Amino acid sequence: MKKIAIVGFGVVGGGVAEILQRNAKIIEKNAGEAIELGYIVDLRDMPDSPFADKMVKDFAVVENDPTVSIVVEAIGGCGAALQFVRRALTAGKSVVTSNKQLVAEHGLELFRLAKEHGVNFLFEASVGGGIPVLNPMTRCLGANELYEVSGILNGTTNYILSQMLEKGESFDGALKNAQKLGYAEANPAADVEGTDAARKSCILAGLAFGGNVAPDDIHVEGITAVTSVDAAFAEAGGMKIKLLGRALVRDGKKYVFVSPHFMKQEQPLACVGDVFNAILVRGSDVGETMFYGPGAGRYPTASAVLGDVIDIVRNPGREQPTGWEAAEEKPASFDTFKARYYIRTREEKALVQQKLGQITWLPDQQGCSGGVTEPCTRAQLKAVGVALDACWPVFE
Amino acid sequence: MKKIAIVGFGVVGGGVAEILQRNAKIIEKNAGEAIELGYIVDLRDMPDSPFADKMVKDFAVVENDPTVSIVVEAIGGCGAALQFVRRALTAGKSVVTSNKQLVAEHGLELFRLAKEHGVNFLFEASVGGGIPVLNPMTRCLGANELYEVSGILNGTTNYILSQMLEKGESFDGALKNAQKLGYAEANPAADVEGTDAARKSCILAGLAFGGNVAPDDIHVEGITAVTSVDAAFAEAGGMKIKLLGRALVRDGKKYVFVSPHFMKQEQPLACVGDVFNAILVRGSDVGETMFYGPGAGRYPTASAVLGDVIDIVRNPGREQPTGWEAAEEKPASFDTFKARYYIRTREEKALVQQKLGQITWLPDQQGCSGGVTEPCTRAQLKAVGVALDACWPVFE
């Protein structure tokens, strides 16, 4: 029997407690032994919770109980969460978290702490919610040299873009729908401006290529500049618009960035609609593989957290090689990323073509011209002095 | 350093040897130690192979070398492969295989042998080729009660159906194209008649629900009865036709079968075209997740085999809980499976509707009527005495 503690009894923490109880037999079978909920740490009083007898307010109770071997961090952010995770690891307890900000910003320190104390720090739920992706990528695909890990990493923005393209909604209308359905926060900045996808991209980059990438060091562009005109161009070209977080090696350089992308409808990622997430992994031998599912939500996230807990319980004394090292250099500038680009402009087509070279024009939409360039860099597009109202890579 | 042997130096065995050499550093990093190729066992003379110095003809050399801890079985079938796997496990060596026939037909015996000798018998590559699916399903999703594991498990038939639906090819024309491209064997029976998908479905069912399912005990229908008329109906209804291997629990009963299915284009599986595979997993907490990628091929399959090898090397002395038990009863009869059904008939619509109840008719195609029933069983459809030229479930 292994005892765990849940720190933070909100949406995810509550989900973990509930599944642990409801699926106790399945979990015991898969973990090889029973997993008991020892404590729930939360500052709030919750006398009516079915878990009231487990609740404590002081993390020190968990820290000082040698029978607790795993701590599930479900507070979020980098305040108390960081403090408690440090203390748990230092006390020789493994930690499982879904906190992407914590992993993206403090991963290096926490991997080192875990290693020092011979315990694990696992975070499958931090990318792709319930989708198993970090584990399959680092273990099942462990014989591959990985070239690219790119995906639809934020469900809210995927929902908004899907509504814009498939239902003809405006950005504002789609955002309001997302808020009504509980997909978007009242303050949706972290989603629509790409911050959330950026953190996840840094985690994917770290695991795929082994070097730390700081969210502050990458190009992050959300979907606030995507308009109904762009949606109309995508439709006319048999394409979709997706916000992608990408980590890839191209021309010997490492790129990590978040940007809207155009892509042909035949791309596996193009089929990922609604609030779903998907991560595409390209490797030397597997070729292209994709992991699809719910990128957020109480139970999917808790499912991924418990997958990590089971992994730790099944492998006592084993240190998972999950993590990455400090990096010697920052990712290459997005401006040097060579790709076809979708462009939208109000300048004359002949002039644009004269300056940018061959463009595959799409039928005009709402008085604008739009098309796809031949492979070039954003720096090249900027340098020719044509006013572009939009300029995003085509994912191929 | 761990030493492995490859038994059978064909497409997959050769791929394993090649990747082991080419990606040696990556593999060493992910496995925690170097993996050395000790022997290749093959009856053929291959003096010009770059691995000629590793080649032996007698499996006893591997069997009697205590420094070999893992055997990769890459012979195929259940003849020599079964003998060598038995001998390897008995000699205390872990075995990794991509041989779905071996696992589906002899899994129970081999799991028991592995357990007795404290070694592992792993087979990620046996389902979905390079796609990580068995590991994520049994480990990362280990906190879920699994309800359904269904997928496009055969690339050849998916290619043929995609050509029929998207290019308007006939079955025969599409099959010839598949053979030209090397996707289909000269004798394509195991693919087009569903045998290959059936073996994989039994493996998925065993892992998802814990009980052995024999390929002989399940309903297996391939794609040979799918015609251009069905393709036209699918097109007219905004649907796709996919050959699915399914293992699911419905109405308290376990079903395992292989059959063509109609499905709405919005289904994630509907987007899986060409020769790709994908497996959809539905669980109590994760909801719906899907694993997509190359279902066959030298390097993808070898990638999955080496993922298992790495897993074993990284976890010395650990017995993976991969496998299943003998089952108390066989899966429920496909005739009792309740679903909407696509039907095609040349009888009068009014008569059909009178006998079968509400049908959502599709526009007539080539003088035939086609439509989708309300939820019912195949037994019910058969019992009413309407001649149905086709009758396949709708996947929802």
Side-chain angles (χ1 to χ4, degrees):
Chain A
M1 195 269 295
K2 281 283 185 310
K3 203 187 275 187
I4 76 166
I6 297 170
V7 185
F9 198 56
V11 173
V12 174
V16 171
E18 191 186 322
I19 299 174
L20 210 49
Q21 194 172 62
R22 169 162 42 82
N23 293 354
K25 278 190 188 159
I26 294 166
I27 292 170
E28 178 171 353
K29 177 169 171 285
N30 287 323
E33 57 185 303
I35 298 179
E36 190 199 316
L37 179 56
Y39 305 100
I40 294 167
V41 182
D42 201 294
L43 290 177
R44 295 167 289 182
D45 283 312
M46 297 188 215
D48 300 330
S49 162
F51 302 99
D53 60 320
K54 309 280 188 193
M55 313 246 347
V56 296
K57 291 189 178 172
D58 186 358
F59 181 73
V61 176
V62 170
E63 192 177 20
N64 296 324
D65 184 339
T67 69
V68 172
S69 53
I70 302 170
V71 171
V72 170
E73 184 278 303
I75 303 173
C78 292
L82 177 59
Q83 303 306 321
F84 292 157
V85 169
R86 279 184 185 141
R87 286 167 59 185
L89 294 171
T90 305
K93 300 172 195 309
S94 289
V95 171
V96 175
T97 186
S98 62
N99 186 336
K100 52 235 164 213
Q101 190 185 355
L102 184 74
V103 180
E105 294 180 6
H106 300 277
L108 274 184
E109 177 200 338
L110 301 173
F111 304 146
R112 190 178 43 73
L113 259 187
K115 206 177 164 70
E116 265 175 36
H117 294 89
V119 292
N120 287 295
F121 176 62
L122 298 185
F123 44 92
E124 175 64 71
S126 67
V127 179
I131 310 169
V133 56
L134 305 186
N135 270 287
M137 179 176 108
T138 52
R139 301 180 192 188
C140 305
L141 300 179
N144 288 263
E145 183 180 352
L146 298 180
Y147 300 141
E148 172 159 10
V149 185
S150 291
I152 296 167
L153 303 176
N154 180 275
T156 309
T157 47
N158 202 45
Y159 174 83
I160 292 172
L161 290 173
S162 299
Q163 290 266 309
M164 289 175 72
L165 265 79
E166 283 147 37
K167 305 271 159 80
E169 274 284 2
S170 67
F171 175 86
D172 290 335
L175 174 58
K176 267 182 205 141
N177 290 347
Q179 284 167 327
K180 253 185 243 163
L181 289 164
Y183 297 157
E185 309 279 334
N187 177 357
D191 291 326
V192 300
E193 289 172 8
T195 318
D196 175 72
R199 290 171 180 149
K200 293 167 178 169
S201 301
C202 290
I203 296 172
L204 289 171
L207 290 176
F209 306 126
N212 191 62
V213 179
D216 285 346
D217 288 339
I218 71 172
H219 171 91
V220 181
E221 185 176 351
I223 63 166
T224 51
V226 179
T227 68
S228 58
V229 185
D230 301 309
F233 276 121
E235 178 72 29
M239 294 192 280
K240 299 272 187 187
I241 309 175
K242 297 290 177 191
L243 182 69
L244 299 186
R246 300 179 72 180
L248 73 164
V249 171
R250 185 168 295 179
D251 306 327
K253 287 183 286 191
K254 182 172 78 178
Y255 291 94
V256 187
F257 55 83
V258 175
S259 168
H261 282 71
F262 272 55
M263 64 179 74
K264 287 251 172 76
Q265 276 168 359
E266 292 71 36
Q267 283 287 341
L269 285 171
C271 291
V272 178
D274 203 53
V275 76
F276 286 94
N277 283 21
I279 297 96
L280 192 90
V281 180
R282 288 172 169 161
S284 55
D285 293 281
V286 74
E288 187 166 287
T289 178
M290 188 179 80
F291 304 88
Y292 164 99
R298 178 182 178 92
Y299 298 113
T301 307
S303 158
V305 166
L306 282 166
D308 278 345
V309 170
I310 289 172
D311 195 25
I312 293 170
V313 172
R314 198 168 42 200
N315 303 297
R318 179 166 72 106
E319 288 170 52
Q320 304 280 4
T322 305
W324 53 80
E325 309 282 332
E328 282 164 28
E329 49 186 35
K330 295 179 181 182
S333 161
F334 183 52
D335 277 345
T336 70
F337 181 70
K338 200 170 176 183
R340 287 176 213 278
Y341 281 83
Y342 157 79
I343 57 165
R344 167 164 55 86
T345 180
R346 281 163 297 187
E347 297 215 29
E348 260 190 51
K349 279 187 194 170
L351 174 76
V352 175
Q353 189 132 340
Q354 185 194 329
K355 294 198 172 179
L356 293 182
Q358 181 62 39
I359 311 251
T360 306
W361 293 105
L362 299 161
D364 284 2
Q365 304 291 336
Q366 301 172 37
C368 296
S369 303
V372 173
T373 70
E374 290 299 296
C376 63
T377 66
R378 255 184 21 143
Q380 288 171 327
L381 292 177
K382 284 178 185 171
V384 289
V386 173
L388 300 178
D389 298 327
C391 169
W392 298 308
V394 175
F395 178 82
E396 292 176 295
Chain B
M1 192 271 293
K2 282 282 185 309
K3 203 187 271 187
I4 76 167
I6 298 170
V7 185
F9 198 55
V11 173
V12 174
V16 171
E18 191 186 322
I19 300 175
L20 209 49
Q21 192 172 62
R22 169 163 41 84
N23 293 355
K25 278 192 188 157
I26 295 166
I27 292 171
E28 177 171 352
K29 177 170 171 285
N30 287 323
E33 58 184 303
I35 298 178
E36 189 199 316
L37 178 56
Y39 304 100
I40 295 168
V41 182
D42 201 292
L43 290 176
R44 295 168 289 180
D45 281 313
M46 296 189 215
D48 300 330
S49 162
F51 301 100
D53 59 320
K54 309 281 187 191
M55 312 244 352
V56 297
K57 290 189 180 173
D58 185 358
F59 181 73
V61 176
V62 170
E63 192 177 20
N64 296 325
D65 184 339
T67 69
V68 172
S69 53
I70 302 170
V71 170
V72 171
E73 184 278 302
I75 302 172
C78 292
L82 176 60
Q83 302 307 320
F84 292 158
V85 169
R86 279 183 184 142
R87 285 167 60 185
L89 294 172
T90 305
K93 301 173 195 310
S94 289
V95 171
V96 175
T97 186
S98 62
N99 186 336
K100 51 236 165 210
Q101 189 185 356
L102 184 74
V103 180
E105 295 180 7
H106 299 277
L108 275 183
E109 175 200 339
L110 300 173
F111 304 146
R112 188 176 44 73
L113 258 188
K115 207 177 163 69
E116 267 175 35
H117 294 87
V119 292
N120 286 296
F121 177 61
L122 299 184
F123 44 92
E124 175 64 70
S126 68
V127 179
I131 309 169
V133 57
L134 305 186
N135 271 287
M137 179 176 109
T138 52
R139 303 182 190 184
C140 305
L141 301 179
N144 288 263
E145 184 181 351
L146 298 179
Y147 300 140
E148 172 159 8
V149 184
S150 291
I152 295 167
L153 304 176
N154 180 275
T156 309
T157 47
N158 201 45
Y159 175 82
I160 292 172
L161 290 173
S162 298
Q163 290 266 307
M164 289 174 73
L165 265 79
E166 283 146 38
K167 306 269 161 81
E169 274 284 1
S170 66
F171 176 85
D172 289 335
L175 174 57
K176 267 182 204 140
N177 290 345
Q179 285 167 326
K180 252 184 243 164
L181 289 164
Y183 297 157
E185 309 279 334
N187 177 357
D191 292 324
V192 300
E193 288 171 12
T195 319
D196 176 72
R199 290 170 179 150
K200 294 168 178 169
S201 300
C202 291
I203 295 172
L204 289 170
L207 289 176
F209 306 126
N212 190 61
V213 179
D216 285 346
D217 288 338
I218 70 172
H219 171 91
V220 180
E221 184 176 353
I223 63 165
T224 52
V226 179
T227 67
S228 58
V229 186
D230 301 310
F233 276 122
E235 179 71 28
M239 295 193 280
K240 297 275 186 184
I241 309 175
K242 295 291 176 191
L243 182 69
L244 298 186
R246 299 180 71 181
L248 73 163
V249 171
R250 185 169 294 181
D251 306 325
K253 288 184 285 189
K254 183 172 79 179
Y255 291 93
V256 186
F257 55 84
V258 175
S259 167
H261 282 72
F262 272 55
M263 64 178 74
K264 287 252 172 74
Q265 275 168 0
E266 292 72 36
Q267 283 288 342
L269 285 172
C271 292
V272 177
D274 203 54
V275 75
F276 285 94
N277 284 21
I279 297 97
L280 193 91
V281 180
R282 288 171 169 162
S284 56
D285 294 281
V286 74
E288 187 166 288
T289 179
M290 188 179 81
F291 304 88
Y292 163 99
R298 177 182 179 92
Y299 298 113
T301 307
S303 159
V305 165
L306 282 167
D308 279 345
V309 169
I310 289 171
D311 195 25
I312 293 171
V313 172
R314 200 169 39 199
N315 304 297
R318 180 166 72 105
E319 287 172 52
Q320 305 280 3
T322 304
W324 54 81
E325 309 281 332
E328 282 163 27
E329 50 187 32
K330 295 179 180 179
S333 161
F334 181 52
D335 276 346
T336 70
F337 181 69
K338 199 169 176 184
R340 289 176 213 278
Y341 281 82
Y342 157 78
I343 57 164
R344 165 164 56 87
T345 181
R346 280 162 297 185
E347 297 215 31
E348 262 190 49
K349 279 187 194 170
L351 174 76
V352 175
Q353 190 131 338
Q354 186 193 327
K355 295 199 172 179
L356 293 181
Q358 181 61 40
I359 310 248
T360 305
W361 293 106
L362 299 162
D364 284 3
Q365 304 292 336
Q366 302 173 37
C368 296
S369 303
V372 173
T373 70
E374 290 300 295
C376 63
T377 65
R378 254 183 23 141
Q380 287 171 327
L381 292 176
K382 284 179 186 170
V384 289
V386 173
L388 299 179
D389 298 327
C391 169
W392 298 307
V394 175
F395 178 81
E396 289 176 297

